[in-house]
Amino acid sequence: MFDLILRRATLPDGRSGIDIGIKDGRIAAVEANLAGEAAAEIDATGRLVSPPFVDAHFHMDSTLSYGLPRVNQSGTLLEGIALWGELKPQLVQDAIVERALAYCDWAVGRGLLAIRSHVDICDPRLLATEALLDVKKRVAPYLDLQLVAFPQDGVLRSAGAKELLIRALDMGVDVVGGIPHFERTMADGAASVRLLCEIAAERGLLVDMHCDESDDPLSRHVETLAYETQRLGLHGRVTGSHLTSMHSMDNYYVSKLIPLMAEARLGVIANPLINIVLQGRHDTYPKRRGMTRVPELMAAGLTVAFGHDCVMDPWYPLGSGEMLEVAHMGLHVGQMTGQDGIKAAFDAVTVNPANLLHLDGYGLEPGCNADLVVLQAGNPVEAIRTRAARLFVLRRGRIVSRCEPVQAKLGLPGRPETVDFLLNRG
C-alpha cells in the first residue's frame, strides 16, 4: 500500500507512462503500470514530473529590500555593494526574517525546494546570520536552506572579518564563502582564497566563493581556487560563483585554465539574470554579455549550475524565484538553443545545483526523497519555453502547493492542456 501514486508521468530523461509510488516520504517505486493501491493518486496525464528546482546561489539576507535606503541608479555591482553597506547598520532582525520567509513562500509555490544563500558576515552583530539561521529552522519542513558565510567586504580587507566568519561557522553556517576580487590587491585576493580554503579543509566544510565577478580579464582568482583545491584535497567540494571575467579572458589562457578547473573538480555557478545586468557597464559598444563560458565548461565535464542570485534588492530590481526564467536567460546568453543545450539548461536548475549542494536523497530513483514537481509541460524544453505552471509541488510526499492548469494553448497540437487532480482513495 502506497501513500500516493503519481500516474502516467513523463520524466526529464524522456521516459513516459511512468508511475511513481511514494511511501513514508520517499520514492518507493518508479516503473510503468505500477501495481498496487494508494491512499491517493495524481494522474499527470503525460506531463513532466521532475525533482524540485534548486537555486545554487542566492542572497536571502538582502532579498525584497529594493529601494532601501535608495535605488541603485547606476545599476552597477559597486553601487549595489555601497548601498548594502548603507543599509546594513539599519537592518532589523525581524524584518530580515519576514522578508526571507515571504521569499521562501514564493519559492515553494514555484517548486524551488532547495536554496544556497550567502549571508554577509561583515557586521559585528552577525544579525543577518542569526536571522537566516532562524529562517532555516522554520522552513525546514518545506525547503532546504544552506547558508554560506560570506565576507561581503573582504575577509582581509574588512577589519575583524576572519573572526566574524569563524563565529558564523561556529553558529551553524554550512559553507565557507569569499570574494577575492574585492580584496585590495591581487595578492590579497590570492591570500584570501588560501586562507578560506584552509579553514574549510580544517573543518570539513564546502567552499563557495564569489570569484572574478568582474569584466577584468586579469582577474584570475579561479586559478588560485583550483590550485588550493588540489593542494588541500578538496576535490568536488569547492565551487566558484560568477566567474564573469572568463567572458573577457584570452582564449589561450582559458585553454589552460579550464583543464585546471576540471582536474580540481570545481563546481561552477553562473547567475545569468544578474551577470548580464551588472557586467559590461563600462562598455560602450559592443557590450559584453558578462556571463561565464557555460557551454565550454559543461563540455569539459565540470558541473555547472545557474543561480538566481538576487530578487528585488540593491543589485537587481526584478525577480520572483522563478528558476525557469533563470534557465531561459542562461540558455539565451550562452547561445545554448539546440535541444541538448536547452535540456542542459534545465539540468542547471535541477540536478546540477543539487550535486553542488551535496543534497542527500535528491532525485527520481527509489529511495530518494519524495520531493517532486508536476509541471504543465511535456518535457524540459517545453517547461522552459512556457515557464510551465507547477500543478503540484510535493515535499516528502506531501502536497505543499498546487495550482489550476493554465488554459492558454501553450502546448503542441494534440497535447492535452489539463490534468486530473488529486483523487482521494479513502
Side-chain angles (χ1 to χ4, degrees):
M1 180 74 172
F2 296 101
D3 299 324
L4 175 67
I5 297 177
L6 276 70
R7 298 284 187 188
R8 296 196 293 161
T10 297
L11 305 187
D13 62 11
R15 286 179 288 166
S16 60
I18 301 298
D19 299 336
I20 302 173
I22 296 169
K23 180 72 174 176
D24 297 330
R26 292 188 176 272
I27 296 173
V30 180
E31 59 189 69
N33 302 314
L34 178 63
E37 297 182 352
E41 291 189 3
I42 296 173
D43 189 347
T45 65
R47 293 303 186 187
L48 178 64
V49 176
S50 170
F53 295 101
V54 179
D55 186 353
H57 188 107
F58 194 64
H59 291 265
M60 199 169 286
D61 50 357
S62 62
T63 195
L64 307 187
S65 66
Y66 181 68
L68 300 175
R70 54 188 173 81
V71 170
N72 185 338
Q73 294 295 340
S74 70
T76 61
L77 172 65
L78 292 181
E79 184 175 353
I81 293 174
L83 268 174
W84 178 243
E86 293 175 27
L87 178 58
K88 267 195 290 189
Q90 305 173 30
L91 290 174
V92 178
Q93 185 168 331
D94 288 348
I96 296 173
V97 170
E98 182 179 356
R99 289 192 290 261
L101 290 175
Y103 184 78
C104 288
D105 284 345
W106 292 8
V108 171
R110 288 166 173 79
L112 171 55
L113 301 188
I115 299 173
R116 174 182 280 181
S117 175
H118 297 252
V119 54
D120 184 2
I121 55 83
C122 289
D123 174 358
R125 301 172 297 169
L126 288 179
L127 183 143
T129 303
E130 290 183 355
L132 291 191
L133 284 169
D134 180 26
V135 170
K136 178 179 179 176
K137 292 178 182 177
R138 295 197 199 191
V139 302
Y142 308 98
L143 180 151
D144 293 306
L145 179 58
Q146 188 178 93
L147 299 178
V148 183
F150 176 49
Q152 172 73 79
D153 300 327
V155 72
L156 299 180
R157 181 173 182 169
S158 178
K162 176 186 174 183
E163 291 73 22
L164 289 169
L165 184 139
I166 295 295
R167 278 176 53 197
L169 296 175
D170 289 343
M171 291 166 64
V173 173
D174 309 283
V175 181
V176 177
I179 186 167
H181 55 279
F182 196 64
E183 301 291 353
R184 292 198 178 277
T185 67
M186 289 289 188
D188 280 355
S192 76
V193 172
R194 186 178 311 111
L195 169 67
L196 292 164
C197 286
E198 287 174 349
I199 291 172
E202 183 179 319
R203 289 173 169 254
L205 298 177
L206 303 177
V207 176
D208 187 344
M209 289 197 193
H210 288 58
C211 199
D212 303 323
E213 189 180 0
S214 168
D215 294 324
D216 180 4
L218 297 181
S219 185
R220 298 176 173 182
H221 295 297
V222 66
E223 181 180 71
T224 304
L225 188 61
Y227 171 79
E228 293 298 331
T229 299
Q230 295 262 41
R231 181 177 72 88
L232 295 167
L234 295 173
H235 302 76
R237 294 167 51 192
V238 177
T239 297
S241 288
H242 292 290
L243 306 185
T244 58
S245 69
M246 288 185 70
H247 191 86
S248 302
M249 286 177 181
D250 173 79
N251 287 334
Y252 181 81
Y253 174 70
V254 172
S255 72
K256 166 196 171 187
L257 176 61
I258 290 180
L260 291 176
M261 296 169 65
E263 287 175 17
R265 302 208 313 272
L266 284 188
V268 173
I269 302 169
N271 299 290
L273 295 170
I274 313 306
N275 292 157
I276 66 168
V277 164
L278 296 180
Q279 307 312 131
R281 288 283 180 165
H282 295 282
D283 294 350
T284 53
Y285 288 93
K287 282 183 177 285
R288 286 167 285 187
R289 287 188 178 93
M291 191 172 80
T292 196
R293 301 187 183 210
V294 169
E296 293 85 353
L297 290 163
M298 287 181 169
L302 283 85
T303 300
V304 181
F306 291 152
H308 205 313
D309 198 5
C310 305
V311 170
M312 297 180 65
D313 68 5
W315 293 272
Y316 189 61
L318 305 174
S320 63
E322 173 56 274
M323 295 307 293
L324 288 177
E325 180 181 14
V326 175
H328 188 269
M329 183 61 75
L331 73 89
H332 278 80
V333 179
Q335 298 181 333
M336 300 161 58
T337 50
Q339 292 289 296
D340 289 344
I342 300 173
K343 292 173 184 175
F346 189 85
D347 287 347
V349 294
T350 52
V351 294
N352 291 0
N355 288 336
L356 295 184
L357 269 62
H358 291 220
L359 292 180
D360 290 329
Y362 181 93
L364 290 176
E365 301 300 322
C368 291
N369 294 324
D371 297 347
L372 302 166
V373 184
V374 181
L375 296 112
Q376 190 180 354
N379 54 60
V381 176
E382 187 179 355
I384 293 176
R385 181 177 67 82
T386 65
R387 315 295 203 286
R390 281 63 157 179
L391 303 176
F392 294 94
V393 179
L394 280 68
R395 171 75 168 181
R396 304 299 193 262
R398 182 170 65 90
I399 297 172
V400 293
S401 179
R402 62 189 291 177
C403 76
E404 295 289 337
V406 176
Q407 295 302 314
K409 295 298 182 181
L410 297 175
L412 296 175
R415 177 166 291 149
E417 290 301 323
T418 60
V419 299
D420 295 329
F421 281 100
L422 186 67
L423 304 175
N424 289 314
R425 303 298 188 190

